[in-house]
Amino acid sequence: MRLKFFCQAMLIAGVLVACGGNNSSTDNTAETSNAVSVESTAEGNVVQTGVVRKVSGSKSSTESTSKAVSETTVTTTTTVEETTTAVEETTTVKETQAETNAQKPEAKEAGEIGLDPSWQYASFSKINSGKSVLYKPGENGNGITIAVNAGHGTKGGSSQKTQCHPDGTPKVTSGTTKAGATTAIAVSEGMTFADGTPESTVTFEMAKILKEELLSRGYNVLMIRDGSDVQLDNIARTVIANNVAAAHIALHWDSTTADKGAFYMGVPEVDSYRSMEPVASNWKKHEALGKSLINGLSSKGTKIFSKGRMEMDLTQTSYSTIPSIDIELGDKTSDHGNDELKKLSKGLADGIDSYFGR
């Protein structure tokens, strides 16, 4: 409204000037100028109250003055619209950039890590040409590295066998390999979910989601398997974790069909096994980590099987020198959709926070 009144006033003034003595033509050049000012209303709208406009010509008349005023009015309207559009476009660009920055992952790849043959127990590995990948948060890191081991996913892993225990003693419980055996499959293929999805595919998806959750909480994450296939057997995976991470969590789903819930593989209550190194020095840490993970999952509403624990003599546990747990997050009939995996990741991360006193 203010702009309309201003333009009408300018029109009247121009007419009066024309009528007051500018009826005859002249060769002199006339120049008019209006000041520019921009105001913001209470609603935050940008209003331009004047526009700089220079008019030059060989004639000065009522017609030319009226034309100049008319052109000024058009220019004013266009400039207000362009100014408003520019402000809106600038705001949109800034908001888009802010959203893009917010969506940028904080993590940065710190590098690949392979099996060093000089590491303790490395010589027991049969498949070890692959690499694990270490990620670190972009900022606010807490300095703690968690090895996230997506179970299975090693082509040809079932064709090789490795020693069950570093001291050569036989397994004390039955599982994939029967009790009494001294060698076991280097890496099993895993089961297939009821909907036809391979377990190795789901464990890798779970690992990626858990990685992001842990990075957001400041942890470094060692992705033992950072692709659909990694040529690292169970011993190689364990030894790499021993030398790089503060804790090792292997992700699995059980092969049963009862949708029985989550549980961890506990250290067998067998004296000969618990007195064997490196189990003797670390089994209490394994158990503490397993209980923390189950408590974290339970707090997020995850179904827990029995008391959340099942005894099992595993290659992983037998060679681990850091807190290490095989966590079974359900079985072949359990929900493994993206929302469920995100919920599981938060429960596992809560358990890790609890274990490390965070």
Side-chain angles (χ1 to χ4, degrees):
M1 184 65 73
R2 184 185 294 120
L3 180 60
K4 181 178 181 181
F5 288 155
F6 180 80
C7 292
Q8 289 176 343
M10 289 180 64
L11 180 60
I12 294 169
V15 171
L16 290 174
V17 170
C19 294
N22 289 318
N23 292 325
S24 60
S25 299
T26 178
D27 292 332
N28 296 328
T29 300
E31 181 174 284
T32 64
S33 177
N34 296 316
V36 178
S37 63
V38 177
E39 297 177 1
S40 296
T41 66
E43 292 78 12
N45 298 321
V46 177
V47 177
Q48 191 156 345
T49 58
V51 178
V52 172
R53 174 77 177 176
K54 293 185 178 180
V55 181
S56 299
S58 60
K59 294 183 180 181
S60 176
S61 65
T62 302
E63 180 180 353
S64 61
T65 304
S66 298
K67 183 179 180 182
V69 172
S70 176
E71 288 177 349
T72 302
T73 303
V74 172
T75 304
T76 300
T77 303
T78 302
T79 306
V80 169
E81 292 176 350
E82 290 175 349
T83 302
T84 303
T85 302
V87 170
E88 292 175 347
E89 289 178 347
T90 301
T91 302
T92 302
V93 169
K94 288 181 178 179
E95 290 175 348
T96 302
Q97 289 175 341
E99 291 174 357
T100 300
N101 291 335
Q103 292 171 358
K104 287 182 180 178
E106 290 187 347
K108 57 182 179 181
E109 186 175 313
E112 294 183 333
I113 299 174
L115 182 68
D116 186 331
S118 69
W119 286 339
Q120 186 180 25
Y121 306 128
S123 61
F124 289 91
S125 169
K126 296 291 182 64
I127 304 173
N128 48 55
S129 62
K131 307 287 184 181
S132 297
V133 181
L134 179 65
Y135 292 87
K136 294 183 178 182
E139 56 185 12
N140 300 323
N142 58 33
I144 300 172
T145 300
I146 307 299
V148 176
N149 183 356
H152 314 292
T154 298
K155 292 178 182 178
S158 59
S159 64
Q160 294 274 1
K161 287 193 173 184
T162 53
Q163 192 166 298
C164 295
H165 300 160
D167 68 354
T169 55
K171 281 175 64 71
V172 299
T173 66
S174 293
T176 304
T177 303
K178 293 182 178 181
T182 57
T183 60
I185 291 174
V187 186
S188 68
E189 295 180 357
M191 59 82 171
T192 300
F193 281 87
D195 65 358
T197 307
E199 182 186 358
S200 60
T201 298
V202 178
T203 59
F204 182 47
E205 289 304 311
M206 180 74 249
K208 289 187 289 185
I209 292 172
L210 179 56
K211 176 191 75 174
E212 295 304 322
E213 182 65 31
L214 292 174
L215 287 168
S216 73
R217 301 188 186 203
Y219 293 94
N220 302 329
V221 178
L222 176 67
M223 287 287 280
I224 295 293
R225 174 162 71 92
D226 201 31
S228 59
D229 171 59
V230 64
Q231 289 297 298
L232 295 171
D233 60 27
N234 289 331
I235 292 178
R237 297 182 187 205
T238 299
V239 173
I240 291 174
N242 288 347
N243 289 274
V244 179
H248 176 190
I249 299 169
L251 307 170
H252 290 269
W253 271 259
D254 200 19
S255 59
T256 57
T257 58
D259 190 20
K260 61 187 179 185
F263 61 97
Y264 73 90
M265 295 294 195
V267 181
E269 296 180 16
V270 177
D271 289 342
S272 61
Y273 186 72
R274 290 192 173 186
S275 62
M276 176 191 76
E277 290 294 354
V279 180
S281 299
N282 296 282
W283 72 264
K284 292 181 180 178
K285 299 174 187 175
H286 304 331
E287 288 293 320
L289 177 59
K291 291 175 182 177
S292 291
L293 295 178
I294 289 298
N295 288 339
L297 291 168
S298 179
S299 70
K300 288 295 184 285
T302 299
K303 182 179 179 180
I304 304 301
F305 170 67
S306 185
K307 295 182 179 180
R309 180 181 185 276
M310 180 184 293
E311 289 190 0
M312 191 65 61
D313 178 352
L314 298 173
T315 299
Q316 176 184 335
T317 310
S318 301
Y319 286 86
S320 288
T321 59
I322 59 173
S324 180
I325 280 295
D326 173 323
I327 187 85
E328 305 283 331
L329 296 167
D331 62 22
K332 63 169 54 180
T333 59
S334 299
D335 179 11
H336 53 275
N338 191 63
D339 289 343
E340 179 65 16
L341 298 187
K342 286 182 178 179
K343 184 178 81 171
L344 291 170
S345 75
K346 291 185 182 300
L348 291 171
D350 283 354
I352 292 169
D353 280 346
S354 175
Y355 181 81
F356 286 100
R358 300 184 58 79

